[in-house]
Amino acid sequence: MIENQWRECLGELVRDYIRSPELEYYFSIKMNKPRAAVMVKQQSLFVRHRRDCWAHVSANCPVLGVKQRILEHEYEEIIRDDFSDYGHLHLIIRQGKSVGLEPEEIINAEPLPETRATLYAWSWMTSEMPWTESLAGMTITEWCNDDRLLGDLGGGQSTRMAKKWMEDMGFTWKQIPNLQAHSQADEKHSDMFLPFLAEHATGKKEAPAIQTAKDSLAFNAMYRKGIALAQEGIPL
């Protein structure tokens, strides 16, 4: 497939994902600060784990251009971008303060069972599978925040969750810096790796890359469902 065909293919997978029962459940939970704190702590684990996963993709990939693009992506996530001078984990820590969490509670968060299973799955996917497949599996999760793709469905994950925090708890954008950043930053990140899929995930490599993208979205849905289940167990 050429780049535009990859864009259309992955885009339809993400649109199916955002309409899935797991995501509908995830967005149905009414939010209060203790419930929101669950999401913040699990998101901190997700964000830190992705640094390992992208490193695995880079280590398995012989293409210098892909390695350079991953480094560009990770610089923005870990060090500095338009949204933070200290990396995106700092945004999560700031957002955690809005729901009563201390930095230590976020850094030392314990994974829910579904989070642990999902992180194991992404670790295996990115370290053991061919890099063209793991690249597809990693990049498609960025698309889940792309409002250009998902605007007619209520927006991407971060935009929809930001609306919930504002509607249910009266928060402002200033109080939810991580959601604000990812409602915008992942539009750029969605586009970063399409040229490499078009160039390298060809022939017999194409179908496995698409399947891995589907699997990665299934992992993401399981992770979000686990958060919702834990939140629902906390009284309003």
Side-chain angles (χ1 to χ4, degrees):
M1 292 188 291
I2 63 175
E3 187 174 332
N4 284 341
Q5 290 172 317
W6 272 104
R7 185 186 301 279
E8 182 176 350
C9 175
L10 297 184
E12 284 305 308
L13 294 181
V14 173
R15 288 175 64 82
D16 287 343
Y17 159 83
I18 210 74
R19 292 183 293 227
S20 68
E22 294 90 345
L23 268 291
E24 289 300 316
Y25 176 46
Y26 176 66
F27 289 116
S28 74
I29 303 298
K30 189 170 179 62
M31 208 61 59
N32 61 15
K33 286 187 178 182
R35 289 180 172 186
V38 172
M39 193 195 87
V40 171
K41 289 193 283 188
Q42 298 307 301
Q43 193 71 14
S44 77
L45 294 163
F46 172 91
V47 166
R48 284 178 284 168
H49 183 262
R50 287 180 68 79
R51 312 293 61 89
D52 294 338
C53 290
W54 277 114
H56 291 155
V57 179
S58 180
N60 288 332
C61 176
V63 180
L64 182 60
V66 175
K67 292 178 182 290
Q68 290 172 326
R69 194 61 57 84
I70 291 173
L71 283 173
E72 178 186 347
H73 178 279
E74 292 299 270
Y75 181 90
E76 294 180 354
E77 291 279 350
I78 301 173
I79 299 174
R80 180 182 295 115
D81 67 359
D82 293 339
F83 306 98
S84 174
D85 289 334
Y86 306 100
H88 287 191
L89 181 59
H90 184 252
L91 295 174
I92 292 176
I93 290 172
R94 286 170 52 201
Q95 187 162 312
K97 186 177 180 181
S98 298
V99 296
L101 290 173
E102 296 295 329
E104 294 77 13
E105 294 178 273
I106 297 171
I107 297 299
N108 298 319
E110 285 293 320
L112 296 167
E114 295 84 355
T115 299
R116 192 185 299 276
T118 301
L119 301 189
Y120 283 157
W122 272 318
S123 284
W124 186 88
M125 180 189 79
T126 53
S127 61
E128 300 299 324
M129 298 181 75
W131 73 266
T132 49
E133 296 173 34
S134 60
L135 180 67
M138 285 297 288
T139 191
I140 199 167
T141 58
E142 311 274 354
W143 292 47
C144 300
N145 286 322
D146 195 330
D147 287 346
R148 299 169 303 178
L149 173 65
L150 301 168
D152 63 319
L153 299 177
Q157 288 174 164
S158 291
T159 295
R160 288 182 68 178
M161 190 54 67
K163 291 175 183 176
K164 282 194 65 65
W165 281 45
M166 290 188 281
E167 291 170 3
D168 292 353
M169 297 186 291
F171 282 15
T172 65
W173 281 113
K174 186 176 180 180
Q175 292 172 289
I176 49 176
N178 184 61
L179 292 173
Q180 182 182 29
H182 285 91
S183 70
Q184 301 173 47
D186 284 340
E187 290 187 2
K188 175 184 176 182
H189 289 174
S190 295
D191 297 335
M192 292 181 81
F193 298 100
L194 281 172
F196 299 108
L197 290 174
E199 183 177 357
H200 298 284
T202 57
K204 293 181 179 180
K205 297 177 183 179
E206 183 180 290
I210 294 170
Q211 183 60 53
T212 304
K214 292 180 182 178
D215 293 343
S216 187
L217 290 175
F219 302 157
N220 206 5
M222 178 173 66
Y223 161 71
R224 307 283 165 181
K225 182 179 179 180
I227 292 173
L229 285 167
Q231 289 173 327
E232 196 168 42
I234 297 172
L236 278 170

